[in-house]
Amino acid sequence: MSVIKYSRQREAIKEYLMHTTEHPTADTIYMNIRKTFPNISLGTVYRNLNLLVDQGEIIKLRCEDGCDRFDGKTDEHYHFACKRCGKVMDLEMESIEHINKIAGAGFKGRIDGNVTFFYGLCPDCCTEDE
Amino acid sequence: MSVIKYSRQREAIKEYLMHTTEHPTADTIYMNIRKTFPNISLGTVYRNLNLLVDQGEIIKLRCEDGCDRFDGKTDEHYHFACKRCGKVMDLEMESIEHINKIAGAGFKGRIDGNVTFFYGLCPDCCTEDE
DNA sequence: TTTGATGCAAATGTTTTGCATGCAA
DNA sequence: TTGCATGCAAAACATTTGCATCAAA
């Protein structure tokens, strides 16, 4: 098994994800990191994102719109996607991990967890409706 | 707005999805429909799948493994994905739609629903572990 | 007939990968 | 010095689309 060496690019990606709540796509991350590392390549961004996901330092979100988004917040929380503007946000809500028990009730396998995505209209799009 | 005409290919796709619980990918559906329509093209399969999704006759599942899967069962139910073999199955369980209220409690927007995917080990992979 | 559906192939968009070079240890 | 990480470009992959032709209504 190979050792993981420090890299400024990876550090910058991690740093960027720690300080945004936007749940950016790989391409958005690429555009932003380029401000600091103009020569960084998309391939490097992808390689580092996958590495960070494997290490559990960031989370990969499989969105409805097809492409992946990344989240630097790794503690248990839930996401919301706006059906109108596509924005993805964190939800401040109490735990719903009890649904794992509900799901496991009549199931012969083992339930380890769940991925839950809520959808509807975000606060901004909701206001526009009035 | 254009009228939707009958097509034997679309009917075959719908029929196939109605009688499988495998949650096949577009490519798997293509391979199967080719047994009946050897000349059908992948493009046609995709076009019809999207059409059926728009009509609410089937459901599209965005899976962890990246590609989409399709489900002919359209009533409210939840899915499970095996982390080991990748199999996707339906879960027989009571409704958890109350989580929409929990999610909406401190949220300024509007919650219309949720997409929930459970994961862990399927019954088959679970048994192998013993 | 008219117009939507098809088959085919080319195009698209996202993500991965091979390889020579650069940089961390 | 060793070998992982990078930049670049090509490849891989799932999905969509343009167009001439076919078939439903």
Side-chain angles (χ1 to χ4, degrees), chain B residues 5-6 42-43 46-47 50 67-68:
Chain B
K5 291 182 180 174
Y6 170 89
L42 238 192
Y46 273 106
R47 266 186 293 239
N50 286 335
C67 60
D68 292 336

Side-chain angles (χ1 to χ4, degrees), chain B residues 3-119:
Chain B
V3 178
I4 289 166
K5 291 182 180 174
Y6 170 89
S7 103
R8 288 180 299 156
Q9 288 88 334
R10 186 185 315 123
E11 218 49 36
I13 291 171
K14 197 159 84 180
E15 189 67 14
Y16 172 67
L17 280 174
M18 294 302 210
H19 293 89
T20 181
T21 54
E22 277 189 1
H23 306 84
T25 61
D27 200 65
T28 304
I29 295 168
Y30 171 58
M31 292 306 186
N32 275 278
I33 301 296
R34 274 223 291 194
K35 293 174 189 164
T36 319
F37 295 88
N39 293 320
I40 196 172
S41 73
L42 238 192
T44 296
V45 171
Y46 273 106
R47 266 186 293 239
N48 279 311
L49 285 172
N50 286 335
L51 208 151
L52 290 168
V53 168
D54 289 345
Q55 293 184 319
E57 304 220 42
I58 64 174
I59 286 174
K60 182 191 283 192
L61 302 176
R62 197 80 58 184
C63 280
E64 284 307 293
D65 64 5
C67 60
D68 292 336
R69 289 163 173 276
F70 297 85
D71 190 345
K73 195 177 168 201
T74 55
D75 54 321
E76 175 195 306
H77 67 289
Y78 308 93
H79 294 101
F80 170 88
C82 181
K83 282 280 187 192
R84 183 171 299 168
C85 69
K87 202 184 299 166
V88 174
M89 354 182 3
D90 290 328
L91 283 177
E92 302 288 341
M93 57 182 276
E94 61 179 89
S95 172
I96 54 168
E97 293 311 293
H98 66 278
I99 65 176
N100 290 339
K101 281 206 191 66
I102 299 177
F107 185 60
K108 296 275 187 297
R110 193 180 81 199
I111 306 261
D112 290 335
N114 68 83
V115 179
T116 303
F117 234 103
F118 292 91
Y119 58 84

Side-chain angles (χ1 to χ4, degrees), chain A residues 27-42:
Chain A
D27 200 65
T28 304
I29 295 167
Y30 171 58
M31 292 307 185
N32 274 279
I33 301 296
R34 275 224 290 193
K35 294 174 188 164
T36 320
F37 296 88
N39 292 320
I40 197 172
S41 73
L42 237 193

